[in-house]
Amino acid sequence: MIPAAILKVGKKTHKLRLTTGALMRFEEDNDGTPFDGLLDKLIQGVGGIRLLVSALAAGLDDGNGVTKEDAMTFVDQAGGARQVVPFLAEAIAKAFPAPAESTGEG
């Protein structure tokens, strides 16, 4: 199972999980652009707030997704985009961990 990034805002704990369904919703919300390109834009910081909200809407609620309005409210409650970017970065890292190094045995 893909682990979730967890962020507590006030009394509520939010889970962001980039499941297959979340990535499909993310692509659909961005005119079918493949998720790897979208994630690259997020990582490089060139996607803007619209892309950030789209990614959050797709993967919040433990991968089930939320409305864009709920995602925008989440960003505001968390203190703004700069506060949320590390949370999204953690979710990306958990969904796409670096491959384990091979020992050459096998």
Side-chain angles (χ1 to χ4, degrees):
M1 176 179 273
I2 297 168
I6 298 171
L7 181 66
K8 188 168 184 175
V9 177
K11 294 182 180 182
K12 186 165 183 182
T13 300
H14 298 271
K15 291 183 180 182
L16 178 63
R17 187 183 311 265
L18 297 179
T19 62
T20 301
L23 293 173
M24 288 177 65
R25 285 189 294 278
F26 190 36
E27 289 179 342
E28 289 168 3
D29 189 43
N30 291 281
D31 301 319
T33 302
F35 75 86
D36 54 339
L38 296 169
L39 294 178
D40 283 344
K41 284 184 177 183
L42 284 169
I43 291 167
Q44 295 170 17
V46 295
I49 192 70
R50 181 182 165 275
L51 195 60
L52 175 67
V53 167
S54 176
L56 292 169
L60 278 170
D61 191 21
D62 205 19
N64 294 310
V66 299
T67 67
K68 284 185 187 177
E69 289 76 20
D70 286 345
M72 289 183 276
T73 298
F74 166 75
V75 172
D76 291 342
Q77 290 175 346
R82 289 192 183 266
Q83 301 301 317
V84 175
V85 168
F87 176 54
L88 180 57
E90 179 185 351
I92 293 169
K94 287 184 173 190
F96 302 98
E101 290 197 27
S102 174
T103 60
E105 298 174 15

